[in-house]
Each structure stands twice: as structure tokens, then as C-alpha cells.
Amino acid sequence: MKNIPNEIFFGWVIMTAFFLFMPCHLSAGQMEGYYWNDEVQPNWPLCIENSPDNGFIICGQTYSRNGREKSPPDALVIRIDSEGKVLWQKQFGAGGEVFPYGITRTSDNAYLIASWAYGVADSFYAKAWLIKIGDDGTILWQKAYGDNTFAYKAYELADHDFIVVGGLIEEVGTDWTIRAMVMKIESNGEVIWTRKLRSEEEQIWAEGATITSGSEFIAWGRSRLYKFNIDGTLIWKKAIDESIGMIESIVLTSNGDYLISATWPGREYTEYAQPTILRYGADGALKWAKILPVEDNHYDNQVYLCPLFPKGDGTIAAFADFTDYEAGDGKGYSGQGAVYFNEDGIMNQNGTLYELSYSTWIRSTKSAVTAPDGNLAFCCEVYYDDNWWGMKNGLIKTDAGNILSRDCTDTKEIPLAWQDCSAPSLSVVSDTLDSPDTSSIDTTPFNLFYDVVVNGVNTFCPVITQVNKLQNPLRLEILGHGFVSPSTIASYSLQVVINDNPVPKTTPKDFTRIIAKKDTALKTMLPKGVPVCIQIRAVDSQGREHPLYKSDCFTFTR
């Protein structure tokens, strides 16, 4: 699946033949808003969480510091209110790269950021780095743990302690391997206990946790599930079959069974990935399994379903990321959306896909949440230009029914071909358990923190902010946001139109500036003293207009 102090894109506004029974190897609403910024350095959003005022907080990486390119990247945290306005943004730096992979809202309306960083506390090693901040961005505490460690996410328990999941990197002979790590910490960050789990068969780490009761939880990652008591006692250790792939999300059903979203062959295999949804009983026995076939044609054909969101009525929504998915109608679909099913394995044969005027990409399984109104919100990369430096931080909030419907977006249905499939029950594994020392270090004296500025506009449409007349020869300089290059919008080219008539020649300079020219023709289109409507649109080689890419009128008088 799918790093600046100043960029966010905000959206209020997400076949080969198969047998019917196969192995698992495998409504109208409107947006409420968006945001982006036009600096040239990229941002990579990685995680999102709800905030107390029905807004959001997102975290990711930024390759800029104080307006200049900065590599390796820092962590960037941006707080958004319920109307899509930026309240504050903070940038956290260490000596090397920082990976802020998970953020958790705490019971005291603060946030705990789970990350790992190189050079934190002047250490040569990567360290798991936890930072607790208040709702105003004030740092409450920050601590690093062990050596060659990393943290994915923290989960608050009923007693306000936290379970933190991640991994450790260990040297084995001449090689390095990854072990799963689970820590319990106090509310002030002090370690209560740490557990390390080692497999002789594969590299493993803990990417998430599911709280199953007041005293038990399951830590999970890759193929593994580890059930613990909150005192650190390991209750059992199990795995999904390797033919199912990698675990993406685990939630509980209304009676305590486990619903698992998995992807085969796994996220590190980049050309082909198909999802499976499985229900296991508390004893590990399979109750049902469904697969969404994806054609393995050596292209980037992928579908990832994560996280899973129980709706409370027996139905589940899964955040979906599609790449060139060939649906039952023979068409290819790419982008983010949602699929729906219930606890009994009845799958909705239609999913939703969000059509945006820019391409987007998801980097993390922690990139989506259910907002307080029950609808999806997710952070993503926005391909705002045709090169790596043109990627922007994005946040999209859907309206009723998980719908987007204006500001150069739309929602369409995707026909899905869910099929029954077979899978083994969860198997018991022989992974070994240790209790390593991950003593904490207060990192306050060592690291760098900045208040930064995020600027943007709240639409996926191109926006004209100013038009200047240039002389000798007569030209129009058009300034604004979102003037993407033609390669970004597939086979479309940018075009300036005046009162719906195209200017003979349009020259995009960058994504904030366009020059429109042709002296005689332009004079005819701009009679002196007469207000005209100037717009930016995209057209294909046949002159057909892109259905989602067009600016509002900018009134200009020569």
C-alpha cells in the first residue's frame, strides 16, 4: 500500500477464470471540503485520527523544513477542525528519517504518535519513538525505546495504560531479521513490560492490535495473531495459512468472532494483489471466506481492503484501494472507495469508487477512519504534478452514504465479483517468546520541533486567483492553484477558455501559472471594457472536455 511544513490537500466535500468455490491463495450527498498547498516538496500522509471537535488530525512525512528541501524527512502533524480549516501544524525532526506510522486519540483528548526514527536521541540505531501531544499541539512527553526497534500504533486500555505494537531488528549470523514486538506502557510512557516473538520460518512484526475484552487483546501482523492478557501473559499464538497472504485488518463480530481482511500475496509484491475476507470463530475454526478475484497479468493490478469498520448493526464497511481493478463490466478502476458486507458473509456486489480530478495513492493501512457521522475519512497522496516532487498531502471526508459529489469529484459504483473460497482454520505456531529490555529514554533534550504553516484551497478543481494582462505581444498571465500538467490528467491537455471559447494557445508554466496567447485572436476575445468569463479546463485530442476538471469563472475586464 500505499514529509513539509506546508502542504495539505483536504477533501470534505474514498480476468482469469475462477471456479465458484476456490482456494484462497490466492446516494446522493455532497462533500464538505478539501485542502492543499503549492510548495514543491512532497508530503507523504500515513495516518489519521478523529479529534474532539469532529475534526481530524493527520500525520505523515515531509521533505521540507523552513521552506527548504530537507532529506531525510521529518514527521508532520496537522490538526483540522470540523469545517476543514487548519488549526495548527507541527514538524518533528531527529538526526535521520522519521516514520510517524500511527496516531491514537487518548481518553484525555490528547494524541499519542507511534513512530520510529534514525538518529533520535543522537543514537546510531533506529528507535521506536512515541510522542504525546495535547489537542493544541503542545508536547506532553516524548520517549524512545530500545535499539533497532519500531512502533506502528498505540492502543489505550481501560486503565489508561497503552499497548504498543511494532518490531525489533536483530542480527542472526551474518543476516538481519525482524521480530514482532509488543509493549505495555503507562500513561506517562514508562515501560511496564515488553514481549518479543520470533519465528524460525519468516520475518514477522506486529502491525496492529484488536482489544477483545477488558483484560485481553490480539496483536497481529503479516500472517500472525498473538492473544495476550494485559499482564503480558501469552494466551495463544496462531497464523492464517500462507495461501491467504498478509493480514490487513482484524475486527470483532457481535459475538466475538474474528473478521480478517487479508491480501495475497502481500504488500511487498507490487504487481498483483487480491483481497480475501474471512470469519473465524474464537476457537480459530473457519466459518466462511470470500475472495475478490484480481487478474494476474503482470501489471499493477491490486485491491487492498483495510481497515475494516463495523457499523454496529452487523454490517461492515471496508476502506478500499483499487489499482487497475478489472471489474465485471470489463472496465478498469483505480482510486479509493469502499466495499460493504455483513457478518454472515453476504457481500454487496457493488462497491463505491471516488473519482477525483487528480490521481491519489494510499501508503498505509492506518490511512482511514470512520468519522463521528459514520462516514469515511482518509488521508492520501495527491499526484498534483507529473513528478515525484509534485505529491501533496491529502485528506478527504465523505458525506452521507460515503459519497463525494462536487468540487471536481464524483462517486461511482463498481461491480464486484465476490466468490466463495476455501481456507484452513487458524493454525497453532511454535514462535518463541522473550522479554527484551526496551527501557525508555526521554528524548526532549535531543530533537527538533517546529511550528509550520500549511496553505491551501478547499477543492479538487483548478482555481484562478488572479489574471494579469501582459503587453507586446498581448498575453494573459493566469495565476492560481491546481494547474496540473497534461500527463497528470492522462491524455488531456490544459486549455484556457474565454466565454466558453478556447484561446488558440495555452502554455502551462507550472501548477500555479499559465500563459494564454495569440495576439490578434486574443484581442478579439477580450473587447476593451467588457467583462468576460475566464476558465481553465482539460480537453482530449478530440476536444472533449474532462468531466471533472474545470475552474469556476474568473471575471476579467481588459
Side-chain angles (χ1 to χ4, degrees), residues 3-4 59-62 70 73-77 90-94 97-100 113 115 129 131:
N3 307 322
I4 157 178
C59 61
Q61 291 180 301
T62 174
K70 194 269 179 189
D74 290 341
L76 176 66
V77 180
K90 307 286 183 180
Q91 184 170 344
F92 305 152
E97 186 165 9
V98 184
F99 296 86
I113 301 166
S115 73
W129 192 22
I131 307 169

Side-chain angles (χ1 to χ4, degrees), residues 45-242:
L46 296 170
C47 47
I48 182 174
E49 180 63 283
N50 291 301
S51 59
D53 60 352
N54 296 331
F56 301 94
I57 188 166
I58 62 174
C59 61
Q61 291 180 301
T62 174
Y63 277 87
S64 178
R65 184 185 286 173
N66 295 329
R68 300 188 177 206
E69 179 184 340
K70 194 269 179 189
S71 184
D74 290 341
L76 176 66
V77 180
I78 305 172
R79 174 72 161 84
I80 312 295
D81 73 8
S82 61
E83 297 180 351
K85 297 176 182 177
V86 175
L87 297 179
W88 52 258
Q89 47 281 325
K90 307 286 183 180
Q91 184 170 344
F92 305 152
E97 186 165 9
V98 184
F99 296 86
Y101 203 80
I103 189 166
T104 303
R105 179 180 164 188
T106 62
S107 57
D108 56 354
N109 287 330
Y111 308 95
L112 188 54
I113 301 166
S115 73
W116 63 97
Y118 291 91
V120 66
D122 292 340
S123 171
F124 172 79
Y125 302 99
K127 287 179 176 287
W129 192 22
L130 301 183
I131 307 169
K132 186 173 182 181
I133 59 175
D135 194 41
D136 60 356
T138 301
I139 297 171
L140 303 179
W141 56 258
Q142 50 167 308
K143 294 184 180 181
Y145 302 84
D147 288 328
N148 289 322
T149 56
F150 55 93
Y152 268 114
K153 178 85 172 177
Y155 299 84
E156 187 170 11
L157 300 170
D159 61 4
H160 308 303
D161 291 337
F162 291 87
I163 295 298
V164 180
V165 294
L168 304 93
I169 304 170
E170 290 188 336
E171 190 172 7
V172 180
T174 59
D175 295 323
W176 293 86
T177 191
I178 303 175
R179 316 300 196 190
M181 181 182 75
V182 182
M183 289 194 306
K184 185 180 181 182
I185 62 172
E186 298 177 1
S187 59
N188 62 2
E190 288 302 305
V191 176
I192 299 173
W193 53 255
T194 302
R195 301 290 182 263
K196 177 185 71 176
L197 291 120
R198 180 179 66 215
S199 167
E200 301 300 333
E201 303 165 357
E202 61 178 296
Q203 297 191 106
I204 56 173
W205 55 85
E207 192 169 340
T210 302
I211 309 299
T212 58
S213 70
S215 61
E216 297 176 348
F217 67 94
I218 294 174
W220 50 265
R222 294 181 68 84
S223 65
R224 296 302 203 260
L225 302 85
Y226 302 114
K227 189 169 187 179
F228 283 92
N229 191 286
I230 60 172
D231 66 3
T233 302
L234 181 61
I235 300 171
W236 51 249
K237 45 194 177 182
K238 298 182 180 182
I240 61 172
D241 190 78
E242 63 180 8

Side-chain angles (χ1 to χ4, degrees), residues 15 292-295 303 322 324-333 349-350 413-417:
M15 179 153 297
L292 185 62
V294 174
E295 183 177 2
V303 180
F322 299 93
D324 294 328
Y325 170 65
E326 187 173 325
D329 57 4
K331 298 178 182 178
Y333 294 89
Q349 295 297 322
N350 288 304
E413 285 192 342
I414 306 181
L416 303 174

Side-chain angles (χ1 to χ4, degrees), residues 315-382:
T315 62
I316 294 91
F319 178 65
D321 189 37
F322 299 93
T323 301
D324 294 328
Y325 170 65
E326 187 173 325
D329 57 4
K331 298 178 182 178
Y333 294 89
S334 294
Q336 289 74 49
V339 303
Y340 308 91
F341 57 96
N342 71 16
E343 293 182 352
D344 297 322
I346 299 174
M347 317 301 285
N348 191 322
Q349 295 297 322
N350 288 304
T352 54
L353 180 77
Y354 305 127
E355 289 190 298
L356 312 172
S357 56
Y358 307 110
S359 298
T360 53
W361 190 29
I362 299 296
R363 282 187 175 267
S364 163
T365 59
K366 309 293 188 292
S367 294
V369 293
T370 299
D373 64 4
N375 298 296
L376 286 175
F378 61 94
C379 57
C380 59
E381 282 179 21
V382 180

